[in-house]
């Protein structure tokens, strides 16, 4: 499986996470985002609306992305966070770093 | 994405296309028309196996093979010669250069596929065995060989590292007479890489605690320092970890902890179970993250249970993960047993979809005895 990326503007992209982000596809997520950063993306809206599994390896790949874009004044925001994702975010206390929005549209509005 | 990538080096267009077509059903295939092109391809992306013709313009197969042999990164790539030169001399020269296989044209493509598969499997088996060996070694080094022995307390510990598991770690030290530091953490990632990062990380944590103990006994201050190390030190830049750092003073029955995004411990007292709630952000993400010390009193006949996420993420028969509540329930049922951790784990397994744990399991169970035992009593219980 691969991740769908939709550009919003020059610097902002939406990444659809799909059913799972875990140790099986975390590397792929990393390289997908890296390609985006190289071509100028700074802000990432992650769409979790269909996501049932987010394990620590998957979360780690999101952290790597955050560390890449934060020196460039970029942001990583979470949209349509499902319950399983919510649990992980709560536990790791990372909601202080990743702003959350009820929907992709709401996230776009805030970032653009 | 196929599991393995193969580089086909062949100057004859038709045969190159045929090989590419047949192999690409199973593997990621790249092609090159001569040795020079092959080296360019290898510089870009190291393949898992090379199939190469011998007679080619610009740079022949022998030259390519010795170039690959001379490079440390590419030395171990399985190499198959494919050639029309059925004469004995070439075959012997080919074998002398240390290739793994030698196939003369015309050849049967099914034969070639079988040989390719066999070579890749063999290489993978070596790798797996090596990984397992190193992983086991790291796993052992990430755990202490003994446990604190303290009057009026029983300390239980269980750890079951899995080969494909992650970087769970546990450590303890007696910082001053009667003051202990307990460290439980989980470095993000899976497999050997995570274990290696966990091993380095544990070294950092230990040396930070030792260095800071001269000036502070605050877990939060130590945590802040460890976070700065992860943020500022280039080799640790891809390392994210959750960490629970506990200062334990058994005589005062007091625990003082800082929690960086780790699974929240569970406290079982005569009044029932409660989650030790307060925690701060995971390490390695935000340089400005702040950490706070929280105190917990351990009344007589109570226990503190700390663990890693392999336990909460275990999938139950219901299709749901065990979660915090699942661990609370299992611990309550195991409470008071002689081997409480084993009882708790059995309880979780009995409710699981599979009959074993899917990830690393690590549990620390700190039990304060119901009655204070007189130091000199002949009936003093064995402290394990």
């Amino acid at each position: 499986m691969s991740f769908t990326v939709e550009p919003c503007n020059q610097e902002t992209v939406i990444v659809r996470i799909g059913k799972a982000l875990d140790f099986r596809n975390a590397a792929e997520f990393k390289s997908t985002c890296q390609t985006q950063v190289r071509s100028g993306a700074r802000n990432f809206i992650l769409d979790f609306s269909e996501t049932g599994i987010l394990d620590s390896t998957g979360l780690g790949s999101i952290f790597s992305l955050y560390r890449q874009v934060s020196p460039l004044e970029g942001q990583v925001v979470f949209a349509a966070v499902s319950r399983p994702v919510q649990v992980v975010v709560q536990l790791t206390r990372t909601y202080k770093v990743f702003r959350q929005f009820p929907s992709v549209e709401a996230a776009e509005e805030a970032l653009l | 994405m196929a599991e393995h990538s193969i580089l086909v080096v062949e100057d004859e267009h038709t045969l190159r296309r045929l090989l590419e077509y047949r192999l690409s059903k199973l593997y990621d295939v790249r092609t090159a028309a001569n040795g020079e092109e092959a080296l360019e391809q290898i510089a870009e992306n190291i393949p898992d196996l090379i199939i190469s013709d011998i007679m080619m313009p610009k740079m022949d197969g022998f030259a390519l093979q010795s170039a690959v042999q001379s490079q440390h990164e590419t030395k171990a790539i399985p190499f198959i010669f494919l050639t029309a030169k059925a004469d004995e001399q070439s075959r012997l020269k080919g074998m002398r250069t240390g290739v793994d296989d030698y196939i003369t044209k015309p050849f049967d493509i099914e034969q070639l596929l079988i040989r390719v598969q066999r070579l890749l499997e063999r290489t993978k088996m070596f790798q797996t065995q090596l990984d397992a060996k190193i992983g086991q070694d790291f796993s052992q080094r990430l755990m202490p060989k003994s446990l604190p022995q303290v009057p009026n307390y029983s300390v239980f510990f269980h750890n079951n590292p899995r080969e494909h598991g992650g970087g769970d770690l546990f450590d303890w030290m007696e910082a001053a007479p009667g003051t202990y530091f307990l460290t439980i953490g989980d470095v993000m990632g899976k497999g050997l890489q995570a274990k290696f990062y966990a091993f380095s990380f544990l070294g950092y944590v230990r040396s930070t605690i030792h260095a800071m103990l001269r000036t502070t006994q605050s877990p939060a201050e130590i945590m802040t320092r460890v976070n700065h190390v992860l943020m500022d030190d280039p080799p640790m830049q891809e390392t994210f970890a959750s960490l629970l750092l506990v200062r334990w003073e058994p005589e005062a029955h007091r625990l003082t902890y800082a929690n960086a995004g780790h699974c929240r411990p569970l406290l079982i007292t005569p009044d029932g179970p409660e989650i030790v709630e307060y925690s701060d952000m995971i390490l390695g993400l935000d340089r400005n993250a702040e950490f706070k010390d929280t105190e917990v009193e351990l009344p007589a006949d109570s226990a503190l249970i700390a663990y890693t996420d392999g336990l909460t993420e275990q999938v139950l028969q219901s299709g749901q993960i065990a979660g915090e509540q699942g661990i609370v329930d299992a611990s309550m049922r195991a409470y008071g047993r002689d081997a409480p951790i084993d009882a708790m784990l059995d309880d979780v397994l009995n409710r699981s979809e599979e009959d074993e744990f899917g990830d690393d399991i690590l549990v620390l169970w700190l039990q304060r005895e119901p009655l204070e035992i007189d130091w000199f009593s002949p009936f003093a219980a064995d402290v394990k």
Side-chain angles (χ1 to χ4, degrees):
Chain A
M1 84 154 245
S2 55
F3 297 90
T4 327
V5 180
E6 294 167 35
C8 298
N9 66 9
Q10 210 64 49
E11 296 202 325
T12 308
V13 294
I14 303 163
V15 184
R16 312 274 180 201
I17 300 296
K19 285 192 170 44
L21 176 55
D22 61 10
F23 66 96
R24 284 170 295 222
N25 60 0
E28 198 181 338
F29 175 80
K30 255 188 187 174
S31 64
T32 301
C33 292
Q34 226 137 30
T35 310
Q36 292 300 321
V37 172
R38 270 200 295 269
S39 50
R42 297 287 168 268
N43 304 315
F44 286 75
I45 299 171
L46 308 184
D47 174 8
F48 286 106
S49 53
E50 291 173 16
T51 313
I53 301 170
L54 175 65
D55 75 353
S56 72
T57 312
L59 194 61
S61 62
I62 298 174
F63 292 175
S64 296
L65 171 66
Y66 171 80
R67 287 204 57 174
Q68 258 190 317
V69 300
S70 56
L72 311 166
E73 306 295 305
Q75 295 187 55
V76 178
V77 303
F78 290 12
V81 172
S82 57
R83 177 92 190 99
V85 174
Q86 191 67 45
V87 169
V88 180
V89 170
Q90 276 291 341
L91 192 64
T92 51
R93 301 283 183 224
T94 41
Y95 47 80
K96 298 169 184 173
V97 172
F98 304 110
R99 281 201 292 163
Q100 311 208 7
F101 297 94
S103 67
V104 171
E105 292 71 27
E108 284 184 81
E109 218 163 284
L111 290 184
L112 303 181
Chain B
M1 291 272 289
E3 191 182 356
H4 296 290
S5 60
I6 294 182
L7 177 63
V8 175
V9 194
E10 166 63 61
D11 59 328
E12 196 202 325
H13 179 80
T14 320
L15 181 58
R16 192 170 67 234
R17 292 307 303 270
L18 171 74
L19 286 168
E20 183 181 18
Y21 170 73
R22 286 303 303 267
L23 288 163
S24 62
K25 290 185 168 142
L26 300 165
Y27 310 104
D28 288 333
V29 184
R30 289 177 166 233
T31 58
N34 58 57
E36 273 180 17
E37 277 183 28
L39 287 176
E40 281 166 24
Q41 288 274 15
I42 293 168
E44 216 172 282
N45 214 323
I46 293 184
D48 295 315
L49 183 136
I50 299 168
I51 301 173
S52 173
D53 188 15
I54 290 183
M55 297 279 283
M56 291 182 293
K58 287 188 185 169
M59 182 180 186
D60 72 5
F62 288 131
L64 169 65
Q65 205 263 340
S66 76
V68 168
Q69 279 282 309
S70 67
Q71 287 288 326
H72 178 73
E73 302 78 44
T74 55
K75 211 177 165 145
I77 302 173
F79 203 106
I80 300 178
F81 269 145
L82 192 63
T83 179
K85 299 176 85 175
D87 63 285
E88 193 59 8
Q89 233 175 351
S90 285
R91 199 181 68 82
L92 286 174
K93 186 178 173 186
M95 294 312 270
R96 266 203 309 278
T97 55
V99 291
D100 298 277
D101 213 339
Y102 189 93
I103 301 175
T104 44
K105 302 175 197 171
F107 59 89
D108 170 20
I109 190 112
E110 300 302 327
Q111 264 291 325
L112 175 73
L113 288 173
I114 288 169
R115 289 187 187 189
V116 164
Q117 190 191 351
R118 208 178 296 154
L119 269 176
L120 286 171
E121 274 172 7
R122 200 180 64 189
T123 314
K124 198 177 160 183
M125 196 176 73
F126 282 137
Q127 187 64 51
T128 310
Q129 283 175 342
L130 184 67
D131 282 1
K133 212 166 158 173
I134 301 171
Q136 217 170 17
D137 186 48
F138 275 131
S139 295
Q140 282 165 355
R141 287 167 196 270
L142 289 167
M143 303 296 154
K145 291 185 170 48
S146 64
L147 293 169
Q149 302 218 347
V150 175
N152 306 319
Y153 280 89
S154 301
V155 181
F156 303 97
F157 176 72
H158 177 93
N159 162 243
N160 177 21
R162 307 290 308 253
E163 199 180 307
H164 57 264
D168 287 11
L169 54 100
F170 168 62
D171 190 28
W172 68 273
M173 61 175 79
E174 192 167 7
T179 302
Y180 296 85
F181 267 85
L182 309 169
T183 309
I184 290 180
D186 184 359
V187 172
M188 291 188 148
K190 277 278 181 284
L192 192 57
Q193 194 181 27
K195 287 192 205 293
F196 173 71
Y197 282 154
F199 183 68
S200 325
F201 174 71
L202 183 59
Y204 273 96
V205 175
R206 282 185 68 99
S207 56
T208 305
I209 295 176
H210 280 300
M212 291 185 73
L213 278 176
R214 278 177 247 136
T215 50
T216 180
Q217 286 214 333
S218 154
E221 284 180 36
I222 294 168
M223 199 69 101
T224 307
R225 179 82 198 101
V226 171
N227 187 46
H228 287 173
V229 166
L230 287 194
M231 295 302 298
D232 301 342
D233 216 0
M236 301 302 278
Q237 225 144 55
E238 278 287 298
T239 306
F240 306 103
S242 67
L243 191 67
L244 178 65
L245 200 52
V246 185
R247 186 178 80 230
W248 174 37
E249 294 151 292
E251 279 183 37
H253 305 299
R254 187 170 50 228
L255 300 164
T256 309
Y257 78 89
N259 184 351
H262 195 75
C263 301
R264 305 185 300 181
L266 162 67
L267 182 67
I268 299 182
T269 69
D271 299 337
E274 62 173 280
I275 298 287
V276 181
E277 289 217 356
Y278 187 84
S279 67
D280 294 302
M281 203 187 305
I282 202 158
L283 300 168
L285 195 60
D286 179 3
R287 202 174 189 291
N288 304 320
E290 290 178 357
F291 302 95
K292 188 174 87 116
D293 283 330
T294 306
E295 270 190 24
V296 179
E297 298 295 325
L298 266 185
D301 196 13
S302 64
L304 181 92
I305 300 148
Y307 52 88
T308 55
D309 63 9
L311 202 52
T312 40
E313 285 177 7
Q314 180 71 1
V315 179
L316 304 181
Q317 284 149 1
S318 60
Q320 300 286 316
I321 55 168
E324 228 169 35
Q325 194 53 48
I327 305 314
V328 171
D329 297 344
S331 302
M332 284 304 284
R333 285 189 286 264
Y335 195 79
R337 306 275 285 277
D338 288 340
I341 296 180
D342 296 347
M344 185 247 271
L345 294 179
D346 285 346
D347 191 284
V348 174
L349 274 185
N350 285 335
R351 289 159 204 277
S352 296
E353 208 169 27
E354 305 284 333
D355 54 7
E356 58 174 5
F357 284 103
D359 197 353
D360 290 4
I361 295 296
L362 188 154
V363 188
L364 175 74
W365 186 301
L366 199 64
Q367 178 75 47
R368 184 180 161 192
E369 303 300 348
L371 293 170
E372 304 299 64
I373 298 156
D374 186 343
W375 261 97
F376 303 104
S377 159
F379 309 109
D382 277 346
V383 179
K384 286 194 190 66

